[in-house]
């Protein structure tokens, strides 16, 4: 009898798991449930679409025929309301039941709203889905002034969209720099200058106390905690995600700002797995729980989960050094690993638009940020994967061209 696999979510994690399962088990029953109205698309490229740089055509990754050809049952516009892990069944909003032998939860998250008055006004956008990108592109094309809230990797996408669409914007940041948990003032300065060159003004030590609206309920501006008012008929908010776990209430699946999984991507309930943004996974390099929403990480998690769903004895482990790139400016930007964590760090500047920083835990590199020159990324990632203790070799690590062979001779590998 064939094994029944149900996958909730058709992002890159869910789709990767479905593909992996089909390759490993040609006879498996595979059902993919998604509350979106379209099949897998490229979440990396939708920012370029929203900027007006790309048409819709290159964004899609899987057409419905892709699922048909692989005998995968794709159910669009399907919202899961409940999971019964004892009966091994999934219930949807239309009261349909899907029985499973193995279940994968890859539902990601929903953008969080700023907890202030008028946060749900017309003209306030959150950027996560292709539908969001379409609405943002259309509105930005006709807007005059913008406001951006959220000084992180998603917020800067919204700022870049304003720049590309010629919308003069104020970027309200609670701290004294963009992405203050991963960048020093020297590194952030490069980003700030680039924003201003694109018509976006960073406003530091700010934030939002409440939004202003007109009589029709459309946003007209924002007021910060000090009472300063900023006009804007287009507003983008990116302050993080609320993870979609409400349908798991009443189950024994452990959650903690997401779904807790082990190295094999299995939850606390046997035969139930999770992958993608929603997971609190055991990072075998950090040797602690971690969470990472990068595209490559989610894809690999889906593949690992799929292999273990087909064969529980495979004991496939998720071990990955993630990357996240920004291509909005004249210079490249890349973060890798866990640049916001660690107990030590080092950094160096190499010119007006070139800077790098590494973070360490127990003498081992665990993450970093590169601006302007990405050529050393593979060397740093290799040192992370091999868990070499190089924290006392900071001068060598900050050389323009890192001598990886010399470092490896001086610091034995701790992992294969």
């Amino acid at each position: 009898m064939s094994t029944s696999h149900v996958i909730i979510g058709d992002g890159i994690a869910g789709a990767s798991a479905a593909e992996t399962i089909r390759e490993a088990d040609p006879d498996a029953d595979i059902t993919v449930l998604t509350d979106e109205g379209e099949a897998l698309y490229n979440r990396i490229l939708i920012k370029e679409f929203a900027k007006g740089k790309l048409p819709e055509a290159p964004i899609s990754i899987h057409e419905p025929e892709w699922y048909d050809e692989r005998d995968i049952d794709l159910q669009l516009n399907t919202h899961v309301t409940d999971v019964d892990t004892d009966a091994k069944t999934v219930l949807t909003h239309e009261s349909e039941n899907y029985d499973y032998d193995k279940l994968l939860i890859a539902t990601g998250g929903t953008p969080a709203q700023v907890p202030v008055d008028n946060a749900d006004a017309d003209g306030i956008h959150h950027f996560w889905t292709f539908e969001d990108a379409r609405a943002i592109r259309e509105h930005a094309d006709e807007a005059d002034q913008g406001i951006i809230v959220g000084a992180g990797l998603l917020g800067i996408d919204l700022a870049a969209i304003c720049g590309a669409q010629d919308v003069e914007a104020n970027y309200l940041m609670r701290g004294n720099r963009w992405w203050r948990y991963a960048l020093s003032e020297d590194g952030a300065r490069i980003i700030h200058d680039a924003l201003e060159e694109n018509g976006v003004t960073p406003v530091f030590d700010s934030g939002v106390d409440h939004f202003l609206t007109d009589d029709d309920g459309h946003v007209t501006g924002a007021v910060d905690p000090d009472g300063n008012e900023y006009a804007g008929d287009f507003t983008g908010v990116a302050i993080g995600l609320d993870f979609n776990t409400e349908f798991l209430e009443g189950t024994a699946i452990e959650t903690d700002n997401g779904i807790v999984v082990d190295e094999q991507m299995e939850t606390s309930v046997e035969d139930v797995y999770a992958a993608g943004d929603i997971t609190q996974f055991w990072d075998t390099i950090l040797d602690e729980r971690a969470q990472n929403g990068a595209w490559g990480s989610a894809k690999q998690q889906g593949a690992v989960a799929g292999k273990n769903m087909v064969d529980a004895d495979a004991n496939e482990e998720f071990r990955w050094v993630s990357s996240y790139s920004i291509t909005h400016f004249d210079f490249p930007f890349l973060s890798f690993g866990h640049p916001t964590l660690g107990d030590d760090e080092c950094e160096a500047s190499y010119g007006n638009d070139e800077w790098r920083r590494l973070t360490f835990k127990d003498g081992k590199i665990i993450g970093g940020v590169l601006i302007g020159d990405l050529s050393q990324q593979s060397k740093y990632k290799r040192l992370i994967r091999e868990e070499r203790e190089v924290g006392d070799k900071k001068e060598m690590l900050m050389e323009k061209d890192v001598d990886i062979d010399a470092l490896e001779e001086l610091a034995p590998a701790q992992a294969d």
Side-chain angles (χ1 to χ4, degrees), residues 1 16 25 29 53 62 71 87 143 200 237 311 363 390:
M1 186 173 66
S16 177
D25 185 355
D29 289 329
K53 303 296 185 182
H62 290 165
D71 195 22
V200 178
V237 174
D311 180 9
V390 291

Side-chain angles (χ1 to χ4, degrees), residues 55 57 65 72 92 182 227 243 250 258 265 300 322 331 356 363 368 372 385:
E65 293 76 20
I72 297 172
T92 73
F243 295 103
M265 310 311 297
Q300 181 66 12
S322 64
F331 52 84
R356 71 179 72 155
R385 285 191 296 269

Side-chain angles (χ1 to χ4, degrees), residues 254-261 279-284 286-291 338 341 361:
E254 183 182 359
T255 60
D256 180 11
N257 192 35
I259 299 174
V260 177
V261 296
T279 59
Q280 286 275 359
F281 62 91
W282 187 260
D283 191 308
T284 60
L286 279 180
D287 199 29
E288 64 180 81
R289 273 194 208 168
Q291 198 158 23
H338 299 282
L341 304 179
K361 178 187 175 184

Side-chain angles (χ1 to χ4, degrees), residues 114-117 146-151 170-177 180 201-212 221-231 235-239:
V114 184
V116 300
D117 289 344
I147 299 167
I148 307 300
V149 181
N170 286 300
Y171 195 165
L172 309 185
M173 308 181 191
R174 288 193 299 177
N176 67 347
R177 60 191 184 277
R180 65 187 187 277
T201 302
V203 182
F204 306 117
D205 299 317
S206 183
V208 178
D209 180 78
H210 63 277
F211 291 104
L212 303 172
V223 178
D224 73 11
D226 293 326
N228 299 307
E229 184 175 325
Y230 302 90
T235 296
V237 174
I239 60 168

Side-chain angles (χ1 to χ4, degrees), residues 47 127-128 150 152-159 171 178 238 240-241 324:
K47 65 187 73 172
F127 192 16
W128 195 243
L153 296 172
L154 294 178
I156 204 163
D157 289 342
L158 289 161
Y171 195 165
W178 178 76
L241 296 176
Y324 191 96

